[in-house]
Amino acid sequence: MVTTIKAEAGVAAAEADTSGAEPVVHRCSEHTVEILSDSGEGAQKCGQAFGTVSAKMGNGAWTVEIIPAEIQPPARTPAGASGNRIRISSAQVTNWGDRTNLVVAFNEQVLLSRHEIGAFADDAVILVENMWATHEDEDIRKAWASAMAQLATAHYRVIEVPMEEQCLTVVENARKGKNMFALGLLAWIYDRDLELVREQIAYTFRKKSAEVYEANIALLDLGVKWASEHLDFRIQVPAAPVGQAMVVMNGNQALALGGIASGMELAAMYPITPATSVSHHLSDVFESYGGVVHQAEDEIAAIGVAIGASYAGKCAFTITSGPGLALKTEFIGLATMIEVPLVIVDVQRGGPSTGLPTKVEQSDLLAAVFGQPGDTPKVVLAPATIEECFHVMITARRIADAFRVPVLVLSDANLATGVQPFPRPEPRPEWFSPPPDQSPVPEGLRPFDWDARTGLSQRFIPGQPGGMHIVTGLHHDENGKLTYDQKMYQHSSAMRSRKLAVLQEMLQPPVVTGDADGGDLLLVGWGSTRGAIEEAVEQARGEGLSVSSTHLSFLSPLQPGLKQIFSKFKKVMTVEINYSDDPTAPYITEENRRRGQLSFLLRASTLVDVDCWTRVLGEPLRPATLVDVIRANVPQGGAR
Amino acid sequence: MPSDDRVPQALEALAGARETFRAAVAAAAEEVRGFVAAHRAPADGAAERAARELGPFATGRIDTSRFGALFGGAEPLDASALEWLGRAQAVLGEAAGADDRYFQADVPAGADLRNAANAALARAGRAFGAARVVELVRGGRFRETDHAAYLESFPPALWTRAERELAPPLVLAMAGADLQVGGLAELLLGSQKIVLVVRTPAPPAALVRLITPGVFVIQASDAGGLKGLSTVAGAAVGAVIAQGAVQFVHDPAAGSTLPARLSVGTLPAEEPKQALGRYTAAQQVEELRQLASLARVNAPALLALDGGPAPVGPTLADKLAAWLLQQAAVPGM
């Protein structure tokens, strides 16, 4: 039975009763779907499969995982909502978009949690498991009724679906099957290629038995059948023509594959959310390419192993998240002091402390740039897309090798779990940096023979003829030996720092999207927010507002020309997912206001009064929210 | 020799070990290629090379002409060094793309098995020799008179411990009369895998001589019995003997005591009476008894022929040996 609570607009305007009528097909350029369940019910698998199949069919896609902070939160609670949000489009998608158009929910409580934070479009269609309406537990029935009453205050079209009842015709435990039934519903609604869906299921359950695969296929077919017999609408999001080979992956997988493509041969890590899956992907394939994944006993040991491998002549990388970065602090200083190449990947999550392990934040920027005691110059890069997560590793490794310096790559939970199609990379032999020169060391050359102009020096490898040397974390001279020479303290600090200036001199100014010649408002972002910022800027410019944006990929050293770019705009404002004080809040003054981290950095380095707009809601930024921010911040009279 | 289906089956059983070897060699080949590219006088501009090295993320963000100007120039190598690096690179490339023939050899009738195996491994191991040549050239220690031969043949005795872990597996086709396996023991180091495909009648328990604590040993009647050999940790040797041989497996991972590690199929009702080539009947009998003894199999028929007493359980020496093995507790043993 299909029950429609309310139907007012869009898809929701269609009649609910299908009784033999052809479904109404709604054609749109993009649509956003959410699958919600309790933790452990497989909504994420369903969403990932739907997103991947959509991308393979040529749709632009961006998925975001909705993950509770706990591994196994209580069932049927708003805080336990687990799932996946998939934005599909006829064009390329660069962010998760705004509000959800269609929802499949396994219970009303997870639905309610998303409704309460305004996740759904006003005319969203909601397909919800209806077993709770008649549940034997009166409290559950009451909770259901209460939730339905709340949802009825919105303009959603709610369709009750007997998921449990249907799944029990195939499996004994419906909790293990609803996700594939839901996938069947979506496959029918969005007219997905069922052969591709079956392939994806086969891949998802490749380590399970044939019986498991067959049961999941039966559930998929059941979902398709139920939808075709009971739903009165379908959604058509035409695919964009794809002129080249594409790949579909999430940011962590891209970082892992990029690490392999860069020719690095050792990844040392300790598991930490949301970075862990980088090593999962690596452990699947790294050995086939001559690499080693080392899971150390803790974060400190992990970076120690990586430093050791780099010291021995390789370039290694280590993977972590905020709390792990804190633990690695001392060894990052060591790598800087002994000048070994090292790549450190920080997949940022909400902080401080253990914070929000599964949620996105960009709060590690200043820790990455300045987080070590003593002066620790290092390079910090930030990919902005999943595709860049792959390519940044090649650049990071080359810079680390060339400058004998640690390179920090700042990804985040949004990139880590988001899935996006992008052109298939064509690995080049040159990405494998040449191994260090182990020719005999020329007579008289020392292991830290800094070039006085650039601070660069030739890297010695243990075992290299004439290259025997010691390394120490203590202040040392050109021979690597402990020194008590005051002038050497100053000189060696200058040499380590100089390398960043040399790199900065090679960098190019960031591109301005919009009016490079200037205007009323310039938004400055970094990392995974680029898609949302650029989409918002495009929309605001469509409204006639004089707004542009620029996005920084190099955060240490900063790209050149920023002051000049900023000087062309009446107002410059960073947009970040980290905390800043509301200037109107009690006690907050211009003098004591804590600003967004990039804003802080830019103000210090350019002396420009860079404002900021930041949020720490544990979710990616929404373009529509940013459009509102732009409207509120364009100086008055600032139409183009 | 005529083709034998068991040879490709044996190679298939070693697929994992072959891939491990190929992957390691391919990685080495790539490294050499990068090194040669960096030290050859550049055919194109440093900026273009820098752009390729830095990858697409650098596009529009890094001025590659400046980067190339600063990092474009490793010291060019002299022509002789480049030539030897090129030859080594070719050997590595050949090994990385090697087909099944790279991992198999025939043992000529009457030849010494150990020598034949050593020669075949030396040929396959020339990939390691090539890597050694690269190291020597890079370190300025290459001498043509001493080291050029490494590109043709690099025997296992020269392999490093790490190379033994990546050892190329080997399938040897041979006659049963030449199954004098004792000399193979010195080759069964690291993760070396060797399979002997025996084409003619063979002694019933020849491989018993290779049973040592850390070595996986299997005698099977068909190549199907070798399934999973690639995944065995450490060294392993197998023989596929169609006619007259006892089937047994010595699996070091199966337990800490010999009886737990050794499982033996049915022993023949009668001891061998005929010599096989140089293999005397007495040798064959001795091996068969040794196998029965190691497995503590009750084999009254065999002992009756000999007239000696039947075994009555572990001797004091057996107990001492078992205790010592337990105390050793060396990983991988």
Side-chain angles (χ1 to χ4, degrees):
Chain A
M1 185 187 75
V2 172
T3 303
T4 301
I5 288 185
K6 203 157 192 173
E8 294 202 1
V11 173
E15 291 298 323
D17 182 6
T18 58
S19 58
E22 282 294 307
V24 177
V25 177
H26 299 269
R27 191 180 167 92
C28 45
S29 61
E30 71 164 73
H31 221 245
T32 301
V33 186
E34 274 188 30
I35 304 102
L36 300 168
S37 72
D38 282 337
S39 187
E41 286 188 309
Q44 287 179 23
K45 271 198 176 70
C46 170
Q48 285 159 0
F50 179 72
T52 303
V53 167
S54 297
K56 285 182 175 174
M57 289 180 68
N59 285 115
W62 186 285
T63 76
V64 173
E65 288 182 3
I66 300 160
I67 314 175
E70 293 172 90
I71 292 171
Q72 192 71 46
R76 288 181 44 79
T77 56
S82 171
N84 208 290
R85 187 178 189 280
I86 310 104
R87 182 187 187 192
I88 60 171
S89 168
S90 295
Q92 194 192 356
V93 183
T94 61
N95 64 86
W96 79 330
D98 293 305
R99 294 197 289 171
T100 301
N101 306 109
L102 187 140
V103 187
V104 180
F106 294 6
N107 69 60
E108 82 289 349
Q109 294 303 312
V110 293
L111 190 59
L112 207 53
S113 73
R114 301 286 297 161
H115 161 73
E116 284 170 349
I117 61 168
F120 306 146
D122 293 341
D123 60 352
V125 176
I126 293 169
L127 295 101
V128 59
E129 161 71 83
N130 69 356
M131 65 178 280
W132 314 107
T134 55
H135 197 275
E136 60 187 17
D137 185 332
E138 189 184 349
D139 289 344
I140 290 179
R141 291 199 305 274
K142 282 182 181 171
W144 165 272
S146 167
M148 287 298 115
Q150 277 195 60
L151 293 170
T153 60
H155 299 301
Y156 309 139
R157 180 189 182 195
V158 180
I159 300 172
E160 293 180 25
V161 183
M163 296 186 198
E164 177 97 356
E165 179 189 309
Q166 286 290 310
C167 292
L168 286 175
T169 64
V170 175
V171 289
E172 287 183 3
N173 180 4
R175 191 175 153 80
K176 297 274 184 188
K178 281 182 193 173
N179 60 343
M180 290 298 114
F181 180 81
L183 183 58
L185 299 179
L186 294 175
W188 185 83
I189 292 170
Y190 290 92
D191 196 17
R192 299 296 83 176
D193 182 336
L194 287 177
E195 206 44 52
L196 281 178
V197 180
R198 290 190 186 100
E199 279 176 21
Q200 192 59 33
I201 291 173
Y203 177 77
T204 303
F205 296 102
R206 64 193 181 282
K207 293 178 182 170
K208 304 280 186 184
S209 66
E211 289 76 22
V212 171
Y213 167 75
E214 281 156 16
N216 280 295
I217 294 297
L219 288 159
L220 169 81
D221 292 342
L222 189 64
V224 171
K225 182 170 180 289
W226 190 91
S228 67
E229 290 172 354
H230 294 85
L231 298 181
D232 57 1
F233 67 93
R234 300 184 85 173
I235 314 284
Q236 194 178 67
V237 184
V242 179
Q244 56 187 322
M246 304 287 278
V247 289
V248 184
M249 64 182 78
N250 68 32
N252 277 0
Q253 197 171 4
L255 285 166
L257 295 178
I260 296 171
S262 76
M264 286 189 280
E265 292 173 75
L266 182 131
M269 47 67 67
Y270 183 76
I272 184 167
T273 302
T276 310
S277 69
V278 179
S279 58
H280 294 167
H281 298 305
L282 279 170
S283 61
D284 278 346
V285 293
F286 204 13
E287 202 170 320
S288 308
Y289 295 92
V292 174
V293 182
H294 175 70
Q295 181 176 319
E297 64 267 38
D298 58 39
E299 293 279 1
I300 300 171
I303 188 173
V305 167
I307 288 173
S310 288
Y311 168 66
K314 303 295 182 185
C315 181
F317 64 119
T318 184
I319 309 146
T320 191
S321 188
L325 185 68
L327 292 168
K328 293 180 191 301
T329 294
E330 184 178 356
F331 267 9
I332 293 174
L334 176 67
T336 305
M337 185 62 117
I338 65 175
E339 301 190 49
V340 293
L342 180 69
V343 176
I344 303 153
V345 176
D346 173 14
V347 185
Q348 298 167 94
R349 67 191 212 183
S353 186
T354 38
L356 294 166
T358 58
K359 310 290 186 188
V360 63
E361 249 180 53
Q362 296 181 305
S363 296
D364 294 353
L365 175 58
L366 294 180
V369 178
F370 301 118
Q372 292 71 42
D375 187 52
T376 319
K378 75 190 81 62
V379 176
V380 180
L381 308 177
T385 64
I386 290 165
E387 181 179 13
E388 285 191 355
C389 284
F390 178 91
H391 292 293
V392 74
M393 296 298 282
I394 290 114
T395 308
R397 185 252 164 105
R398 185 69 188 102
I399 290 173
D401 264 342
F403 287 88
R404 295 182 65 180
V405 72
V407 177
L408 246 147
V409 174
L410 288 179
S411 178
D412 64 36
N414 183 25
L415 293 172
T417 58
V419 170
Q420 184 193 28
F422 61 86
R424 178 180 168 170
E426 295 296 336
R428 297 194 61 102
E430 292 86 353
W431 291 355
F432 294 79
S433 289
D437 187 351
Q438 293 196 61
S439 313
V441 174
E443 190 76 28
L445 195 65
R446 296 169 294 180
F448 296 94
D449 241 334
W450 298 292
D451 177 88
R453 212 172 64 85
T454 63
L456 297 167
S457 55
Q458 184 178 323
R459 181 180 172 196
F460 288 10
I461 307 300
Q464 183 178 7
M468 187 161 60
H469 69 289
I470 57 170
V471 290
T472 171
L474 292 166
H475 253 289
H476 57 79
D477 61 16
E478 291 94 336
N479 286 306
K481 292 182 179 166
L482 170 67
T483 180
Y484 302 102
D485 180 351
Q486 289 181 320
K487 286 181 183 169
M488 186 54 73
Y489 302 159
Q490 181 72 22
H491 179 61
S492 60
S493 296
M495 291 296 94
R496 288 189 294 273
S497 181
R498 187 71 49 79
K499 293 189 290 187
L500 257 61
V502 173
L503 174 60
Q504 202 261 0
E505 195 259 351
M506 294 173 183
L507 300 182
Q508 296 179 327
V511 172
V512 174
T513 301
D515 291 322
D517 294 334
D520 292 333
L521 176 64
L522 177 71
L523 301 186
V524 188
W526 65 282
S528 70
T529 56
R530 186 169 81 196
I533 292 173
E534 291 184 352
E535 189 170 318
V537 166
E538 186 181 348
Q539 193 177 326
R541 289 175 64 80
E543 295 175 10
L545 297 175
S546 172
V547 58
S548 301
S549 71
T550 190
H551 213 76
L552 304 183
S553 308
F554 279 78
L555 298 154
S556 173
L558 285 164
Q559 286 160 270
L562 295 176
K563 190 167 186 173
Q564 192 181 1
I565 292 170
F566 295 171
S567 70
K568 296 175 183 170
F569 292 85
K570 291 178 186 167
K571 179 170 184 176
V572 180
M573 185 171 76
T574 65
V575 172
E576 307 176 62
I577 311 177
N578 51 45
Y579 180 77
S580 64
D581 287 327
D582 177 352
T584 64
Y587 289 99
I588 303 303
T589 66
E590 183 67 14
E591 194 174 66
N592 69 15
R593 182 186 178 202
R594 296 178 65 245
R595 293 178 166 80
Q597 298 193 5
L598 179 62
S599 166
F600 178 91
L601 202 56
L602 294 177
R603 291 167 72 92
S605 58
T606 65
L607 300 181
V608 172
D609 184 9
V610 178
D611 197 0
C612 62
W613 181 89
T614 77
R615 286 293 181 274
V616 281
L617 300 174
E619 65 171 32
L621 299 179
R622 301 179 187 198
T625 307
L626 295 182
V627 172
D628 290 340
V629 171
I630 292 169
R631 289 182 190 127
N633 281 278
V634 168
Q636 288 199 338
R640 283 196 296 149
Chain B
M1 282 196 186
S3 66
D4 186 338
D5 287 346
R6 294 174 304 165
V7 171
Q9 287 168 0
L11 284 163
E12 183 58 33
L14 297 173
R18 283 186 288 145
E19 280 314 305
T20 301
F21 172 76
R22 283 199 192 106
V25 171
E30 270 308 303
E31 198 163 318
V32 177
R33 187 209 51 70
F35 181 79
V36 170
H39 288 75
R40 198 186 289 280
D44 52 8
E48 286 77 8
R49 204 175 87 205
R52 290 195 297 271
E53 287 175 356
L54 286 161
F57 187 82
T59 304
R61 293 172 175 141
I62 296 180
D63 182 336
T64 52
S65 61
R66 290 181 181 174
F67 190 94
L70 197 57
F71 298 109
E75 284 297 312
L77 291 168
D78 63 41
S80 170
L82 281 172
E83 182 192 338
W84 284 106
L85 286 174
R87 289 189 194 186
Q89 203 179 342
V91 170
L92 288 167
E94 179 204 3
D99 61 16
D100 290 350
R101 284 171 297 181
Y102 194 89
F103 303 98
Q104 70 178 85
D106 288 333
V107 181
D112 179 272
L113 175 58
R114 184 263 169 208
N115 290 345
N118 191 58
L121 288 173
R123 275 196 305 282
R126 65 188 184 274
F128 297 148
R132 194 67 56 85
V133 165
V134 172
E135 276 184 31
L136 292 164
V137 171
R138 284 166 59 169
R141 289 169 284 140
F142 178 79
R143 291 186 301 278
E144 185 174 343
T145 49
D146 296 337
H147 305 128
Y150 289 179
L151 299 179
E152 303 295 329
S153 172
F154 195 67
L158 295 177
W159 298 357
T160 64
R161 190 170 171 178
E163 285 163 348
R164 287 186 187 121
E165 292 301 328
L166 301 166
L170 181 64
V171 174
L172 290 167
M174 60 182 304
D178 297 325
L179 200 58
Q180 302 272 6
V181 299
L184 291 184
E186 66 180 87
L187 302 176
L188 292 169
L189 300 170
S191 292
Q192 182 69 61
K193 308 282 188 292
I194 297 176
V195 172
L196 309 170
V197 175
V198 182
R199 290 177 159 146
T200 56
L207 264 60
V208 73
R209 292 167 184 259
L210 295 173
I211 294 177
T212 50
V215 177
F216 184 96
V217 184
I218 180 169
Q219 260 194 199
S221 58
D222 59 60
L226 303 176
K227 197 173 174 186
L229 197 64
S230 269
T231 60
V232 168
V237 59
V240 186
I241 307 171
Q243 300 172 41
V246 179
Q247 294 184 46
F248 72 85
V249 179
H250 173 253
D251 181 358
S256 58
T257 61
L258 190 55
R261 295 198 302 260
L262 184 62
S263 55
V264 180
T266 310
L267 293 170
E270 291 189 357
E271 290 186 331
K273 296 188 175 65
Q274 301 282 330
L276 275 169
R278 291 173 295 164
Y279 233 109
T280 66
Q283 275 179 301
Q284 297 175 53
V285 169
E286 185 60 32
E287 288 169 351
L288 204 50
R289 288 179 185 175
Q290 190 181 347
L291 180 62
S293 166
L294 290 174
R296 300 199 184 139
V297 171
N298 219 353
L302 292 173
L303 295 163
L305 288 170
D306 185 55
V312 289
T315 65
L316 193 59
D318 288 336
K319 287 178 181 171
L320 183 62
W323 182 83
L324 282 170
L325 282 170
Q326 281 180 335
Q327 297 309 303
V330 179
M333 296 288 281

